[in-house]
Amino acid sequence: MASIVTRFAPSPTGYLHIGNLRTALFNYLIARKQGGTFILRLDDTDQERSKQEYIDAIKFDLEWLGLTWDRIEQQSKRLDRYRDAAEKLRADGRFYECFETPTELDLKRKKQLNMGRPPVYDRAALSLTEAQRDALRAERAGYWRFLLNQTRIDWEDGILGPLSIDAASVSDPVLIRADGQVLYTLASVVDDTEMGITHVVRGSDHVTNTATQIQIIEALGGTVPSFAHHSLLTGPQGEALSKRLGVLSLRDLRAQGVTPNALLSLMARLGSSQPVDLRMSLDEIADGFDLSQFGAAPTKFDAEDLWPLTRGDLQARPYSAVADTIRALGVPDDIAPQFWDVARENIGKLDDLSAWWALCRDGAQPVIAEEDRDFIAQAMTLLPPPPYGPTAWKDWTDAVKAETGRKGKGLFMPLRLALTGQERGPDMGALMPLLQKVPVREA
Ligand code: GLU
C-alpha cells in the first residue's frame, strides 16, 4: 500500500479551538500509525483575514501538543498552481464566468424558495452571448464557477459510511472571486492532488464540499483521496458549540492549566465506542486509535472532563518533570522534591502549587471552630516552632492527646484546620517538615 499522507489545513484567521484539535489529531494519528506523512497546510488565500500572528499561534499550539508536522505548506505561496488549474478547467469547458451581484443572487434564491424549489444556482450565466458578456465585463468584474456534472456523487466515507449526493442539488461552486481571490475549494483540491494526500479527515460541515471537490479533482485528472467526516462537537447539553468555540481555544485551555495529555486523551476517544482514559504519550494514544470506531452523531464535549484527566496527568509526573516550575515558585532546592510529593496529590492544575507553597512559606489562615478555641490554644502551647522533622506531627498529636484526652477525628481535624485552614489536604506527617511558619502560634 502506498504510504499515507494526511494534512491539517487550518485557515490562519483565528486561534485553534477544540474542534480544530479533533481534526488535527485524527489526521496526525492516521499518518503516524502507518509511518506516513503529516502535512500542516495553511489555508491563507484570504489575504485580508489571514494573519502571521495566527500562523505563529497555530504552530505554537500544535507543538505544545506534540502534533509535529513533517512538512508545512502555505497556499499563498502556491497561487500560480491554482491559476494553472483554473486555466485547465477553462480550457476543458468546466469553468464559466458569472456576473450576478450578491443582491441578484439573493433575489433568485428567494424566488426559488417561494416556489418550493431548492436554491440552486440556475446557470443563467451559461446562456449569455459573447456580446452580453463583454457588456457586463465593462461594468464589473466576473467571477468563476465550476460546471458540475449533474450526476450522483458517491463515496465511501471513513466515518459516515456510503454517501451519495446528487450534484443537481448543489450550486456550481464559485472558485475564483471577482477580485481574483482563489477560493478554498479550488486551492484545496489542487493541493490535495499535487501533494499526494491519500486521506482527508475533516468536520462533517464539509460533506457537501467533498461532493463538489470529487468532481473537480476528477476534472483535473487527480486521484480522489479517501474522505472521512467526523461529527461536530456540541456542548454538554447538545447545544451548538460554534459561538463558544472562541473561549474553547487551545491557548485559553492551556492558560487555564489543562495539560496536553489530558486534551489529547479525551479528544482521541470522545465520540468513539472506546472509553476515554488517560494516556501519557501520543504513542499510547495512537495505540488503538481507529477512525471507524467514531460515530456520525454529534459529539458532546464538556470542558469539565479535562480536569480529572489533567489531575491524573500531573499526579503521575516525577519531580524532574516539574522541577523548573517548583523552583520558579521559590521553593528551596533541598525541600523541593518533598514539596512535590506532598503537593501533587492535592492539585488540580500546576498553578495550584503556588497556593500550597504560600501555605508552607507563610502559614495558613487558621480555621478554628468556636468550641475548639480553648483546645487549640492549649495544643499550640505544645507545638515547638519550625523547622519540623519527620515525626513532628506524631509527636505533637501524641502530646496533645495525652494532655487533652481527645482522640480520633476530634483530635486531628481541629489541628489540621488550625495549621492548614482546610479540612482536606496532604498527609500532615509529610506536610509538617515543609512548614516554614505556623501563624497560629502567634494567635
Ligand atoms: N481551511 C479549511 C477549514 O479550516 C480546510 C478544510 C479541509 O480540511 O479541507 O475548514
Side-chain angles (χ1 to χ4, degrees), residues 5 22 81 132 134 141 156 185 192 198 215 226 245 272 286 343 433:
V5 185
R22 208 160 182 234
R81 307 301 308 145
Q132 285 171 320
D134 283 341
E156 182 66 32
T185 308
D192 287 343
T198 58
Q215 281 207 5
S226 300
L245 284 174
S272 80

Side-chain angles (χ1 to χ4, degrees), residues 367-378 406 410 413-415 417:
V367 171
I368 303 170
E370 198 49 47
E371 66 272 21
D372 288 331
R373 285 201 161 274
D374 293 345
F375 167 70
I376 292 297
Q378 199 181 354
R406 284 213 197 191
M413 187 52 86
L415 297 180
L417 280 168

Side-chain angles (χ1 to χ4, degrees), residues 428-440:
M428 290 301 292
L431 181 67
M432 288 288 283
L434 296 168
L435 297 182
Q436 321 281 301
K437 210 170 167 198
V438 198
V440 82

Side-chain angles (χ1 to χ4, degrees), residues 1 3 7 13 47 121 196 215 254 288 334 373 397 429:
M1 190 175 73
S3 181
R7 83 311 193 267
T13 54
Q47 303 271 303
Y121 176 61
Q215 281 207 5
R254 176 170 59 241
D334 57 329
R373 285 201 161 274
T397 51

Side-chain angles (χ1 to χ4, degrees), residues 7 9-11 23 41 43 184 188 192 200-202 206 213:
R7 83 311 193 267
S11 302
T23 311
R41 192 184 85 197
D43 283 6
Y184 150 77
S188 187
D192 287 343
V200 173
V201 183
R202 56 191 176 192
H206 283 290
Q213 288 182 0

